[in-house]
Amino acid sequence: MRVLGVDPGLTRCGVGVVEGVAGRPLTMLGVGVVRTPADAELGHRLVAVERGIEEWLDTHRPEIVAVERVFSQHNVSTVMGTAQASAVAMLCAARRGIPVALHTPSEVKAAVTGSGRADKAQVGAMVTRLLRLAEPPKPADAADALALAICHIWRAPAQNRLQQAVAQHASKGRTR
């Protein structure tokens, strides 16, 4: 499975591609950050994020895009920018027919570190170890994007089994 992880943000949108399957060593295929100037007009920033994500989709051809689920924060302007960048990533994937999976920050942290309350340094250290990298990807947004991809690869088999069980249960309910 090849997954493009997206840590959404308007100033720095982390992107990372990981390939592999659960239970086997994973391989990083690319990592980076799509940047936009903080003083640029919002519409131009969103277009820049779109172009950056489209370039990653063209280059790496992922099977799925894993995006950090936006959660409530105290700073409304921060959460708005994150939500807007998240929507751009989902739109780019949907336009190409690529499935999108959303994972909360605590799900990602728990998947890669074992603790849903891990800090950025712990996530970066585990991403480095899991992908056998020489050093943690910088900035943290890039490491977070790789963590999203890893989280999805590891969680997808269980999520698929759960969805199949729910669908099977629902179809039995309709035939009664």
Side-chain angles (χ1 to χ4, degrees), residues 16-36:
V17 181
V18 176
E19 189 169 65
V21 295
R24 300 275 170 107
L26 303 174
T27 303
M28 180 188 76
L29 301 179
V31 65
V33 177
V34 176
R35 297 179 187 271
T36 70

Side-chain angles (χ1 to χ4, degrees), residues 1 90 107 172:
M1 176 184 312
M90 290 187 281
E107 287 172 346
K172 285 181 182 177

Side-chain angles (χ1 to χ4, degrees), residues 11 36-41 45:
T11 304
T36 70
D39 61 349
E41 190 240 72
R45 295 178 81 186

Side-chain angles (χ1 to χ4, degrees), residues 92-169:
C92 290
R95 189 184 291 139
R96 293 169 181 244
I98 301 171
V100 173
L102 300 173
H103 299 284
T104 66
S106 59
E107 287 172 346
V108 174
K109 291 172 184 179
V112 298
T113 72
S115 169
R117 296 178 183 219
D119 63 23
K120 290 219 178 258
Q122 291 171 303
V123 172
M126 283 306 295
V127 164
T128 302
R129 187 173 177 191
L130 293 168
L131 296 175
R132 300 168 315 281
L133 305 175
E135 59 187 20
K138 292 204 164 83
D141 309 273
D144 289 349
L146 291 171
L148 274 151
I150 293 167
C151 172
H152 185 76
I153 290 169
W154 286 354
R155 290 177 56 103
Q159 287 176 327
N160 290 342
R161 285 192 302 273
L162 181 61
Q163 288 171 347
Q164 289 170 353
V166 168
Q168 187 176 29
H169 179 75

Side-chain angles (χ1 to χ4, degrees), residues 69-91:
R69 183 184 301 272
V70 178
F71 63 99
S72 177
Q73 295 176 337
H74 298 295
N75 186 339
V76 175
S77 64
T78 300
V79 79
M80 286 299 296
T82 302
Q84 290 161 335
S86 177
V88 168
M90 290 187 281
L91 175 68

